[in-house]
Amino acid sequence: MVSAMHPFALGLVPAPDPTEARARTILARVHDPEIPTVSIVDLGLVHDVRVTRDHITVELLPTFVGCPALDVIRSTVADALAVLGRPIDVEFTFAVPWTTERLTPRGRDGLKAAGIAPPADAGNVRCPYCDSGQVAMDSAFGPTLCRSLFYCRDCRQPFEQFKTV
Amino acid sequence: MTTAASDLLPATRNALALLLLAMADDEFVIGFSDSEWTGIAPMLEEDVAMSSMAQDELGHAQALYRLLADVVEDGRDADAIAFDRPPEAYFHARLLDHPRGDWAQTITRRFLYDTADSARLEALSESSFEPLREIVAKIRREERYHVMHMTTWFERLARGSDSRPRLLDALDRIGPDAGTVLAPLPSALALEMAGIVPARFGGLAAAWRTSLQPTFQRLNLPPLPVTPAPDRARADHSDSFRWLHGEFTSVRGLDRSATW
């Protein structure tokens, strides 16, 4: 409840459009097309959400410049926000580089749940299945641009790690 | 600091367009050329790695072509710039005109290219043109993996008894063109005056050669030869590039609406 003396009520500051909060709630339910356990918000992809009375603009950060999933993510975001009933622009920006630090703790847990080790410094990578540190990198390059290949010497399971960038 | 190409003087804008074209064509041509290893690399991990690096390069090329389209504003989009030119209008370095050759030639070329490209990107991280600086900041984080991987392979092949003669042959063939990636562009002075490249950009080739010396000495490899005619570094494209051009324009030739 906004009191009569609140800056919003006095008209000094424009009240935030409630649609923006709804847009962000919806985005938190949009998942990476290849990692169904991690939302694009927890992956740190959402750079900006701007809502005006007649328009919504979402700016996303690509994890990798050449990621072929970008078009799918763009259309999934536009489809998810369509319920808000305003024209939507989904843009990718390099305004700040996406880095590993943008992953939230929930995003890191989500990666593990998908069998992908979260990014870590060399030597600190742990097996997503048994949490062992007895792991070896097979190759810096994996099945997608953002992943490396590892092998766990304890549970003898090959696994992927999200590349540290 | 400049954020929009429209704020640049026309001469600066042309100079910037030439720099972006050189960088985008370099990434595009090496990306397509190395993607020919997909499915036939000497081992599965390297098939994946080479394909992954090629995909990175094509992504970088696409981002640079998009920026170039914004700078040039002549109605062409990134696809039109990438695919609708005749072979002689491409502006990549002559190092990338060589065919992928055998594995040793591919590794040698990538090692030379990736180290030169990372020197170029490092310098451009100080560019006064913000959109370029932003893309470069992102690309550098990915190219780091390429340099690490190629350094490992270059050393491995230089030490192997079967692979060393092949690596030496590759250096004989492509070594003279190694310096073409960092040869000064005709627009170098205008770029420097506008701060789009830092003052040391003109000395990058020499600094890069010096940086390679410890590796070459440790591996007992002959020093890289001087690059002949650096003013022709991005001209006189080869028959093998003309063949590659036929390959990478073939889909666009069939269907102009096809996407990357």
Side-chain angles (χ1 to χ4, degrees):
Chain A
M1 193 65 196
V2 175
S3 85
M5 292 304 288
H6 191 279
F8 293 160
L10 293 173
L12 299 176
V13 179
D17 189 323
T19 310
E20 178 174 335
R22 277 188 69 202
R24 288 186 182 273
T25 308
I26 292 169
L27 288 176
R29 292 198 297 263
V30 174
H31 289 86
D32 180 284
E34 296 219 3
I35 316 168
T37 50
V38 183
S39 83
I40 60 168
V41 170
D42 286 325
L43 205 49
L45 293 197
V46 180
H47 175 61
D48 198 14
V49 180
R50 291 191 303 275
V51 175
T52 65
R53 210 173 308 164
D54 51 15
H55 208 88
I56 299 171
T57 306
V58 179
E59 285 192 330
L60 302 175
L61 305 171
T63 52
F64 275 70
V65 180
C67 175
L70 297 183
D71 282 337
V72 177
I73 295 173
R74 184 204 307 269
S75 62
T76 311
V77 166
D79 289 350
L81 293 176
V83 293
L84 298 176
R86 298 182 201 185
I88 295 152
D89 270 329
V90 184
E91 294 161 7
F92 284 95
T93 176
F94 297 106
V96 296
W98 182 90
T99 70
T100 307
E101 286 82 46
R102 293 186 62 90
L103 271 162
T104 66
R106 194 163 53 190
R108 297 176 68 87
D109 287 343
L111 286 177
K112 276 195 252 181
I116 300 168
D121 294 335
N124 287 327
V125 178
R126 304 196 80 84
C127 173
Y129 298 104
C130 73
D131 203 39
S132 166
Q134 297 298 310
V135 300
M137 184 192 270
D138 272 345
S139 175
F141 298 92
T144 70
L145 295 184
C146 55
R147 300 184 215 166
S148 301
L149 296 178
F150 277 75
Y151 182 74
C152 175
R153 295 208 175 99
D154 270 337
C155 71
R156 300 185 181 179
Q157 175 74 27
F159 66 91
E160 293 164 18
Q161 186 223 11
F162 209 97
K163 266 185 202 163
T164 307
V165 294
Chain B
M1 193 57 53
T2 315
T3 53
S6 52
D7 295 338
L8 298 170
L9 294 171
T12 309
R13 206 160 154 170
N14 289 339
L16 170 62
L18 203 60
L19 171 70
L20 292 173
L21 184 65
M23 292 173 68
D25 280 353
D26 283 353
E27 297 281 282
F28 190 64
V29 172
I30 197 167
F32 256 105
S33 191
D34 284 348
S35 75
E36 289 179 50
W37 283 106
T38 301
I40 55 167
M43 55 187 91
L44 182 60
E45 285 82 355
E46 290 316 309
D47 202 308
V48 172
M50 194 55 77
S51 305
S52 190
M53 285 186 283
Q55 195 179 11
D56 273 339
E57 308 298 29
L58 292 178
H60 302 166
Q62 188 181 37
L64 291 163
Y65 283 133
R66 279 180 180 153
L67 182 53
L68 176 59
D70 289 345
V71 169
V72 177
E73 273 191 316
D74 62 358
R76 288 182 300 166
D77 63 4
D79 282 4
I81 300 174
F83 295 111
D84 295 349
R85 284 174 290 159
E88 57 275 13
Y90 283 75
F91 199 53
H92 56 279
R94 256 200 339 255
L95 175 65
L96 312 177
D97 256 352
H98 294 272
R100 67 182 156 85
D102 61 6
W103 188 245
Q105 178 156 320
T106 289
I107 296 294
T108 302
R109 178 168 70 169
R110 274 219 81 98
F111 172 74
L112 295 170
Y113 176 75
D114 282 334
T115 50
D117 184 43
S118 75
R120 174 167 65 183
L121 293 170
E122 199 251 319
L124 289 174
S125 65
E126 299 162 26
S127 175
S128 65
F129 188 56
E130 207 174 340
L132 176 59
R133 216 186 49 229
E134 289 172 358
I135 288 180
V136 163
K138 184 64 190 152
I139 290 177
R140 282 184 75 197
R141 290 170 180 272
E142 301 175 13
E143 292 285 351
R144 200 168 53 91
Y145 283 94
H146 299 193
V147 174
M148 269 169 25
H149 198 63
M150 283 304 105
T151 304
T152 306
W153 263 103
F154 189 72
E155 299 202 357
R156 184 173 169 185
L157 294 183
R159 293 179 200 281
S161 55
D162 291 343
S163 56
R164 185 175 173 86
R166 286 171 177 262
L167 185 117
L168 289 169
D169 281 350
L171 276 172
D172 266 354
R173 282 190 299 269
I174 69 176
D177 285 333
T180 56
V181 179
L182 295 176
L185 296 171
S187 62
L189 189 61
L191 290 169
E192 199 184 308
M193 303 265 287
I196 288 173
V197 304
R200 62 194 170 83
F201 210 69
L204 273 190
W208 166 74
R209 279 176 188 276
T210 306
S211 74
L212 289 185
Q213 272 171 13
T215 306
F216 274 62
Q217 279 165 9
R218 193 173 65 249
L219 299 171
N220 198 21
L221 296 170
L224 281 176
V226 173
T227 297
D231 55 322
R232 307 286 297 159
R234 296 177 177 275
D236 307 331
H237 294 312
S238 65
D239 285 342
S240 78
F241 172 69
R242 272 183 278 278
W243 174 83
L244 188 74
H245 177 272
E247 291 289 302
F248 69 64
T249 54
S250 61
V251 174
R252 175 91 166 168
L254 290 170
D255 178 5
R256 283 187 60 85
S257 63
T259 57
W260 293 40

